[in-house]
Amino acid sequence: MLAEVLARAGDLVGRWEREDCGVVTAKEFRRYAAAVDDTGYLRAARAAEAAGRPVTAPPLFLTGILSWEDGPVEAELRPDGLAARESPCTRGLPVRQVHGGQSVRLGSPLVAGARVRADRAVRSAEAKRGRSGAFVALAVTTRFTGEDGTELASVDETIIVMDQA
């Protein structure tokens, strides 16, 4: 199966896919902050909104959202718990995945009411071998930009793909 992952990745490397994430709201920022227990942000965001000031997103809001869709129902999740759309090069294959690390660069602050785009590409795919056996390391980049092209955040991550045990 790992050879198939590498073959599929070869077709995707360097090909950017764009997703319109829509217009973000202060309520979404507060829901995220509540989920990560950032009560200081919640107080500050409510105060800014009540005073009519712009509400900016928590710093890791964009990188903490796995998907901009409603999400799949439980029966549609892969055995490793991921949604199929979050699994480049692996759709329908009996593999499991884990995250192998992430590097985040923050850009301009994201303000409620802004439209966000996410551009994602597989940068590379490499066959490797570790203590637990063979795996493929997928390097993926996601860039979040505003409607005018201003970079809001960029994420470089590694996804480890292994044969299903």
Side-chain angles (χ1 to χ4, degrees):
M1 291 300 116
L2 296 180
E4 178 63 21
V5 171
L6 284 169
R8 290 179 182 186
D11 294 336
L12 294 178
V13 169
R15 193 173 83 202
W16 290 89
E17 294 181 9
R18 174 165 287 169
E19 179 177 6
D20 179 3
C21 303
V23 175
V24 294
T25 66
K27 184 175 186 177
E28 290 170 314
F29 299 167
R30 290 191 310 269
R31 285 181 173 172
Y32 171 82
V36 298
D37 199 27
D38 188 346
T39 55
Y41 173 85
L42 286 170
R43 282 191 298 275
R46 286 183 188 127
E49 193 168 30
R53 295 189 313 267
V55 179
T56 58
L60 296 178
F61 171 80
L62 287 171
T63 62
I65 304 297
L66 290 176
S67 174
W68 294 93
E69 298 175 350
D70 291 340
V73 295
E74 188 173 353
E76 294 174 5
L77 291 174
R78 294 175 34 83
D80 54 20
L82 294 174
R85 72 179 307 279
E86 299 300 327
S87 306
C89 315
T90 64
R91 187 176 301 265
L93 297 177
V95 295
R96 58 192 169 101
Q97 299 173 84
V98 295
H99 279 272
Q102 186 178 70
S103 172
V104 176
R105 290 180 310 281
L106 299 177
S108 297
L110 174 60
V111 178
R115 180 171 292 280
V116 175
R117 292 188 319 219
D119 295 298
R120 186 178 193 203
V122 175
R123 290 188 332 274
S124 66
E126 187 177 350
K128 296 190 173 213
R129 178 167 287 285
R131 288 188 305 246
S132 59
F135 64 93
V136 172
L138 296 174
V140 179
T141 294
T142 305
R143 293 183 187 138
F144 297 96
T145 57
E147 205 167 16
D148 63 358
T150 301
E151 185 170 295
L152 303 168
S154 184
V155 181
D156 295 322
E157 60 188 319
T158 302
I159 300 170
I160 306 299
V161 182
M162 300 163 280
D163 281 320
Q164 194 167 338

